[in-house]
Amino acid sequence: MALIALACNQSFAQKQLIKYVQPFSGTSASTTSASQHIEDKTERLANTIPAVAPPFSMTQWTPQTQLSETKCLAPYYYNNKKIYGFRGSHWISGSCTQDYGSFTIMAISGKLKTLPSAYADDYSHSGEVATPAYYKVNLPRYNLQVELTATLRSSVMKITALQADSVYLLITPNSDQKKGAIRIDATKGEVTGYNPAHRIYQGWGQPAGFSGYFFTQIKRGFSNSGVFTEEKILHQQSIGNQKDIGAYVGFKLQKGESILVYSGTSFTSVESAKLNLKSEINTDSFEQVLSKTTAVWEKSLSQIDITDQDEKRKRIFYTALYHAKQHPRLFNDVDGGYPAFSGNYQRKVIDKGDYYDDFSMWDIYRAQLPLVELLNPSYANAFAKSLVLKGQQGGWLPIFPCWNSYTAAMIGDHSTAFLASAYNKGIRDYDVNEAYRLMRQNAFDMPDSASYLDGKGRRGINSYLKYGYIPMEDSIPNAFHKKEQVSRTLEYAYDDYALATVAKGLGKTDDYNTLMKRSGNYQHVFNKEVGMVSGRYASGKWYQPFYADHREPYITEGTPRQYTFYVPQDMPGLIKLMGGQKQLENELDSIFKKKEYWHGNEPGHQIPFLYNFTNSPWKTQQAVTRILDEEYSDGPGGLSGNDDAGQMSAWYVFAALGFYPVDPVSGIYQMTSPAFTQASLSFSNGKVLRINRVKSSSNAMYIAKITLNGKTLAGNQISHKELTAGGVLTFYLKEMK
């Protein structure tokens, strides 16, 4: 860490919150106590990567221990034994999707080798250093040291010879489909290329309408160069559309000499990748880039300043904050250019601000995007504007926009939920009327057949509008997630409520009344005979047999018991259906006693906070404290499930601070015992909120009272407006007698 400290400016060296971030967290199978009972080991992979890049960057730079851009296979796993290079990656952190448009640089010495199985080095964590701004590792087979740092769209790699030798750089576009190209200009010291992106889910395998382009400038003259396909070496300067293509450039290095490799990336052209590099780095040294990016991360992390003696918990917290700031992904170049959404290699230019993509929307509307709304409303505004642009360019507001394309992945219509959440928090510097038009179209209209097959519109919207729920007869054939009718009904009901709040704000009374009525559609799939949600036929008959704790075809990635609690828009209504507050409490007790609460997936993330709607809110405090302790840890195995673009991590940030957005659209947070002695939140409006935890004894963990600026709060909830106004929020904790 000494090198990092030397590179840092004194202005932020005093804080050094970056030292708490553990980029390897989530890169190995979970070792948390709660994850050990999970039988499906793939669910115990958080699938994060040790990403080097500023927050919300276009490209993340990572060591590569896994070849290919295969679905559900991250480019890096901590326990892999071989290293294949250093990737400019567009992997969605914590996901089970796929990388796209990436390229890799590998440094080797001695004899030239071009087959990955031949040039891969034995991977060791000895001497390895990783921060959000910097990565260093030694390649023992080649006696080379590699260092990385990065900006939003560009990077600098420094390769240092630990002994005199011939050194080669292997640069590979990572296409798995024999596509793409690479070209060398030895006179200028440049290597350029591209890797076409392809869709998955709807339109699987079709071109996504853009590529990942790269421009690499090597600050040292080549002694030789050429291209290759697999192990066939060609003494030419370009190659394209063949299997496992790449370029090599060779040097003679003495011990201690270094090569600097500057790389720019773009989704529009090689020329734009070059422009991005020139604008962001130009002639800056490795140390200058490192210093600037470290400063960016220190500023970002220091928005939340934790005071506590528990160093491990601080490591977990700031690592979670780092993971929650990876996505959505910056997609435009420095001049505003970006590929048109769902387009055919068309280029658009954003008028002001930035354009983003890779919204893992089913996951992140719950906590990760609300965290951005709280800490960085300007980013949230850019995200909202980007969604509106997508809807205008593609014709329909996307459900789950990734790869700058329609996907129809997962369920729900949570672009609507996010846009409503932003609108209700006053984040509105975009075309609100267009946003409403697009949200309304999703809620009321069925696309034509071709558009629907392409992933546009709500899946099963006709059935939902006809019956007020999606019956078992509608198997939702044109979706990656088929069936799951009850979960879809519940989530569409929430999205209808979300849109209703915007309709009310815009004075659209008829729409408001219709949508609020539809927000009660959850009642149509609540089977009072079993006290839970259940599959239902068009006739009204319930699906049989009923198993509360089995994975059922009408439920998404969960069970009927787990999904029964998903009515964030109308907890009083759910309580009434269940038979009163005590019955809600009993059902919540049951899910925890039966060990049916599963924190590793999103449908239940609000469940621990629902005790706040009963006469025993202390049980929320108990449950959340246990989850913070059991479901999160430090080290590579510190996350107990897919991080899903930062949702799991954002849950930790909120819960550890003492509040969580059960219903983010409402702007109301449910409160629990904070994990830290003190925390200070600095908001973009200049206000600061200081959170204090006052314990009556060392074992005190239950809330006796909460005060805001000296006044006792009524109930265990607080509004977004109250939080962002700043002041002093004090939790007084007691022991339970």
Side-chain angles (χ1 to χ4, degrees), residues 424-445:
N424 291 332
K425 295 179 175 85
I427 300 170
R428 304 178 184 178
D429 188 17
Y430 49 90
D431 193 331
V432 171
N433 289 321
E434 269 295 274
Y436 184 80
R437 179 186 69 81
L438 290 163
M439 289 188 285
R440 190 188 189 283
Q441 179 178 250
N442 273 17
F444 285 90
D445 297 340

Short mmCIF file of all heavy atoms in Angstrom, two decimals, residues 424-445:
data_model
loop_
_atom_site.label_atom_id
_atom_site.label_comp_id
_atom_site.label_asym_id
_atom_site.label_seq_id
_atom_site.Cartn_x
_atom_site.Cartn_y
_atom_site.Cartn_z
N ASN A 424 -40.73 11.48 -7.61
CA ASN A 424 -41.27 11.82 -6.29
C ASN A 424 -40.23 12.41 -5.36
O ASN A 424 -40.57 13.01 -4.33
CB ASN A 424 -41.91 10.58 -5.65
CG ASN A 424 -43.18 10.16 -6.36
OD1 ASN A 424 -43.87 10.99 -6.95
ND2 ASN A 424 -43.48 8.88 -6.33
N LYS A 425 -38.94 12.25 -5.69
CA LYS A 425 -37.87 12.86 -4.89
C LYS A 425 -37.38 14.17 -5.51
O LYS A 425 -36.36 14.71 -5.11
CB LYS A 425 -36.72 11.86 -4.74
CG LYS A 425 -37.10 10.61 -3.95
CD LYS A 425 -35.94 9.64 -3.83
CE LYS A 425 -36.29 8.45 -2.95
NZ LYS A 425 -36.98 7.40 -3.66
N GLY A 426 -38.11 14.65 -6.51
CA GLY A 426 -37.78 15.94 -7.12
C GLY A 426 -36.68 15.86 -8.16
O GLY A 426 -36.14 16.90 -8.56
N ILE A 427 -36.35 14.66 -8.62
CA ILE A 427 -35.32 14.48 -9.64
C ILE A 427 -36.02 14.49 -10.99
O ILE A 427 -36.58 13.48 -11.43
CB ILE A 427 -34.54 13.17 -9.40
CG1 ILE A 427 -33.87 13.20 -8.02
CG2 ILE A 427 -33.53 12.92 -10.49
CD1 ILE A 427 -33.29 11.87 -7.57
N ARG A 428 -36.01 15.66 -11.67
CA ARG A 428 -36.90 15.84 -12.82
C ARG A 428 -36.28 16.62 -13.97
O ARG A 428 -37.01 17.19 -14.81
CB ARG A 428 -38.18 16.55 -12.37
CG ARG A 428 -38.92 15.86 -11.24
CD ARG A 428 -40.14 16.63 -10.82
NE ARG A 428 -40.82 16.01 -9.67
CZ ARG A 428 -41.90 16.51 -9.09
NH1 ARG A 428 -42.44 17.63 -9.55
NH2 ARG A 428 -42.44 15.89 -8.06
N ASP A 429 -34.96 16.70 -14.07
CA ASP A 429 -34.35 17.48 -15.13
C ASP A 429 -34.21 16.65 -16.40
O ASP A 429 -33.13 16.35 -16.89
CB ASP A 429 -32.98 18.00 -14.68
CG ASP A 429 -32.37 18.98 -15.68
OD1 ASP A 429 -33.14 19.49 -16.53
OD2 ASP A 429 -31.15 19.22 -15.63
N TYR A 430 -35.34 16.24 -16.92
CA TYR A 430 -35.46 15.49 -18.18
C TYR A 430 -36.90 15.69 -18.63
O TYR A 430 -37.68 16.38 -17.95
CB TYR A 430 -35.13 14.01 -17.98
CG TYR A 430 -35.84 13.38 -16.80
CD1 TYR A 430 -37.09 12.78 -16.94
CD2 TYR A 430 -35.27 13.41 -15.53
CE1 TYR A 430 -37.76 12.23 -15.86
CE2 TYR A 430 -35.94 12.88 -14.43
CZ TYR A 430 -37.17 12.29 -14.60
OH TYR A 430 -37.84 11.76 -13.52
N ASP A 431 -37.27 15.13 -19.73
CA ASP A 431 -38.62 15.33 -20.26
C ASP A 431 -39.61 14.46 -19.48
O ASP A 431 -39.83 13.29 -19.82
CB ASP A 431 -38.64 14.99 -21.75
CG ASP A 431 -39.91 15.48 -22.44
OD1 ASP A 431 -40.96 15.56 -21.76
OD2 ASP A 431 -39.84 15.77 -23.65
N VAL A 432 -40.20 15.04 -18.46
CA VAL A 432 -41.11 14.29 -17.59
C VAL A 432 -42.35 13.84 -18.34
O VAL A 432 -42.85 12.71 -18.14
CB VAL A 432 -41.50 15.14 -16.36
CG1 VAL A 432 -42.61 14.46 -15.56
CG2 VAL A 432 -40.28 15.38 -15.47
N ASN A 433 -42.85 14.66 -19.24
CA ASN A 433 -44.05 14.27 -19.99
C ASN A 433 -43.78 13.08 -20.91
O ASN A 433 -44.62 12.20 -21.06
CB ASN A 433 -44.57 15.46 -20.80
CG ASN A 433 -45.19 16.53 -19.91
OD1 ASN A 433 -45.88 16.21 -18.94
ND2 ASN A 433 -44.95 17.78 -20.23
N GLU A 434 -42.59 13.07 -21.51
CA GLU A 434 -42.22 11.91 -22.32
C GLU A 434 -42.04 10.67 -21.46
O GLU A 434 -42.42 9.57 -21.84
CB GLU A 434 -40.92 12.19 -23.09
CG GLU A 434 -41.12 12.80 -24.45
CD GLU A 434 -41.83 11.84 -25.39
OE1 GLU A 434 -41.17 11.01 -26.03
OE2 GLU A 434 -43.08 11.91 -25.49
N ALA A 435 -41.46 10.86 -20.30
CA ALA A 435 -41.31 9.74 -19.37
C ALA A 435 -42.68 9.17 -19.03
O ALA A 435 -42.87 7.94 -19.03
CB ALA A 435 -40.59 10.19 -18.10
N TYR A 436 -43.63 10.05 -18.75
CA TYR A 436 -44.98 9.57 -18.41
C TYR A 436 -45.63 8.85 -19.59
O TYR A 436 -46.24 7.78 -19.43
CB TYR A 436 -45.87 10.73 -17.96
CG TYR A 436 -47.22 10.22 -17.50
CD1 TYR A 436 -47.38 9.67 -16.24
CD2 TYR A 436 -48.31 10.22 -18.36
CE1 TYR A 436 -48.60 9.15 -15.83
CE2 TYR A 436 -49.53 9.70 -17.97
CZ TYR A 436 -49.67 9.17 -16.69
OH TYR A 436 -50.87 8.64 -16.30
N ARG A 437 -45.48 9.42 -20.79
CA ARG A 437 -46.07 8.78 -21.97
C ARG A 437 -45.55 7.36 -22.14
O ARG A 437 -46.32 6.43 -22.40
CB ARG A 437 -45.76 9.62 -23.22
CG ARG A 437 -46.32 9.00 -24.50
CD ARG A 437 -45.87 9.76 -25.74
NE ARG A 437 -44.45 9.61 -26.02
CZ ARG A 437 -43.92 8.56 -26.64
NH1 ARG A 437 -44.68 7.54 -27.02
NH2 ARG A 437 -42.62 8.51 -26.87
N LEU A 438 -44.25 7.20 -21.98
CA LEU A 438 -43.64 5.89 -22.18
C LEU A 438 -44.04 4.92 -21.07
O LEU A 438 -44.33 3.74 -21.35
CB LEU A 438 -42.12 6.05 -22.23
CG LEU A 438 -41.58 6.74 -23.48
CD1 LEU A 438 -40.15 7.21 -23.26
CD2 LEU A 438 -41.66 5.81 -24.69
N MET A 439 -44.08 5.38 -19.84
CA MET A 439 -44.51 4.52 -18.74
C MET A 439 -45.97 4.10 -18.93
O MET A 439 -46.33 2.94 -18.71
CB MET A 439 -44.34 5.23 -17.40
CG MET A 439 -42.90 5.41 -16.96
SD MET A 439 -42.75 6.07 -15.28
CE MET A 439 -43.18 7.79 -15.53
N ARG A 440 -46.79 5.05 -19.34
CA ARG A 440 -48.21 4.76 -19.54
C ARG A 440 -48.41 3.75 -20.67
O ARG A 440 -49.25 2.84 -20.58
CB ARG A 440 -48.98 6.04 -19.86
CG ARG A 440 -50.50 5.83 -19.83
CD ARG A 440 -51.25 7.04 -20.33
NE ARG A 440 -52.67 6.87 -20.09
CZ ARG A 440 -53.48 6.12 -20.82
NH1 ARG A 440 -52.99 5.44 -21.86
NH2 ARG A 440 -54.76 6.01 -20.52
N GLN A 441 -47.64 3.90 -21.74
CA GLN A 441 -47.73 2.96 -22.85
C GLN A 441 -47.46 1.53 -22.37
O GLN A 441 -48.19 0.59 -22.73
CB GLN A 441 -46.73 3.35 -23.95
CG GLN A 441 -46.73 2.42 -25.14
CD GLN A 441 -45.76 2.86 -26.22
OE1 GLN A 441 -46.14 3.30 -27.29
NE2 GLN A 441 -44.47 2.73 -25.94
N ASN A 442 -46.41 1.36 -21.56
CA ASN A 442 -46.12 0.03 -21.02
C ASN A 442 -47.27 -0.51 -20.19
O ASN A 442 -47.56 -1.72 -20.20
CB ASN A 442 -44.86 0.07 -20.15
CG ASN A 442 -43.58 -0.11 -20.94
OD1 ASN A 442 -43.57 0.03 -22.15
ND2 ASN A 442 -42.49 -0.42 -20.25
N ALA A 443 -47.92 0.36 -19.44
CA ALA A 443 -48.96 -0.07 -18.51
C ALA A 443 -50.29 -0.36 -19.17
O ALA A 443 -51.09 -1.14 -18.63
CB ALA A 443 -49.15 1.00 -17.43
N PHE A 444 -50.55 0.23 -20.34
CA PHE A 444 -51.89 0.12 -20.94
C PHE A 444 -51.92 -0.57 -22.30
O PHE A 444 -52.99 -1.02 -22.73
CB PHE A 444 -52.51 1.52 -21.10
CG PHE A 444 -53.00 2.12 -19.81
CD1 PHE A 444 -52.15 2.90 -19.04
CD2 PHE A 444 -54.29 1.90 -19.36
CE1 PHE A 444 -52.58 3.46 -17.85
CE2 PHE A 444 -54.74 2.46 -18.17
CZ PHE A 444 -53.88 3.25 -17.41
N ASP A 445 -50.78 -0.66 -22.98
CA ASP A 445 -50.80 -1.11 -24.36
C ASP A 445 -50.01 -2.40 -24.57
O ASP A 445 -49.05 -2.68 -23.87
CB ASP A 445 -50.21 -0.03 -25.29
CG ASP A 445 -51.03 1.25 -25.26
OD1 ASP A 445 -52.21 1.19 -24.86
OD2 ASP A 445 -50.48 2.30 -25.64
#
